[in-house]
Amino acid sequence: MANLIDFVNNELSAKKDFPTFGAGDTITVFYEIKEGEKTRTQFFKGVVIQRRGTGATETFTIRKMSGAVGVERIFPVNMPAIQKIELNQRGKVRRARIYYFRELTGKKAKIKERRR
């Protein structure tokens, strides 16, 4: 039964070519918003806090600072409204889920860049 579910998820989900990214990376997500008849593209740039799930149910959480307020947004990887994802900076972190990043302020909130 599990094999059948995996087969359907793999066949029906639209594959998009996104860069590989993980926790600590700074990315920009461009997604489409529909307002009545009009559609526009909006972007959300921030640090990836986590990636969760597998296959069709995989999601990732991005955190950005808007003024002095932290804003987090959860995106499904297979969301049809996502147009593209740009990888701005690779971060050097030692955890897969960096929840501790929420409490950091100032210089402590900077994530070092990973060398390539």
Side-chain angles (χ1 to χ4, degrees), residues 20-27 46-52 58-63 87 89-101 111-112 114:
T20 57
F21 60 91
D25 296 346
T26 303
I27 63 172
V47 177
V48 177
I49 297 290
Q50 69 173 347
R51 284 186 78 147
R52 168 176 277 166
E58 186 176 3
T59 61
F60 58 95
T61 305
I62 301 179
R63 178 178 177 85
L87 182 63
Q89 179 180 352
R90 292 211 174 264
K92 183 180 179 184
V93 294
R94 302 172 97 182
R95 302 273 181 266
R97 298 188 174 150
I98 53 175
Y99 296 133
Y100 65 87
F101 190 66
I111 295 178
K112 291 183 180 179
R114 188 178 350 149

Side-chain angles (χ1 to χ4, degrees), residues 12 32 61 64 103:
L12 297 180
E32 199 171 84
T61 305
K64 75 172 183 176
E103 281 78 38

Side-chain angles (χ1 to χ4, degrees), residues 4-62:
L4 180 63
I5 293 171
D6 292 338
F7 175 75
V8 171
N9 284 338
N10 291 334
E11 292 297 319
L12 297 180
S13 64
K15 300 282 188 218
K16 295 184 180 179
D17 294 329
F18 294 139
T20 57
F21 60 91
D25 296 346
T26 303
I27 63 172
T28 306
V29 179
F30 293 89
Y31 59 99
E32 199 171 84
I33 293 180
K34 292 183 182 176
E35 296 171 336
E37 300 289 320
K38 298 179 184 178
T39 60
R40 65 184 175 91
T41 301
Q42 186 170 336
F43 68 92
F44 195 90
K45 180 178 179 180
V47 177
V48 177
I49 297 290
Q50 69 173 347
R51 284 186 78 147
R52 168 176 277 166
T54 57
T57 61
E58 186 176 3
T59 61
F60 58 95
T61 305
I62 301 179

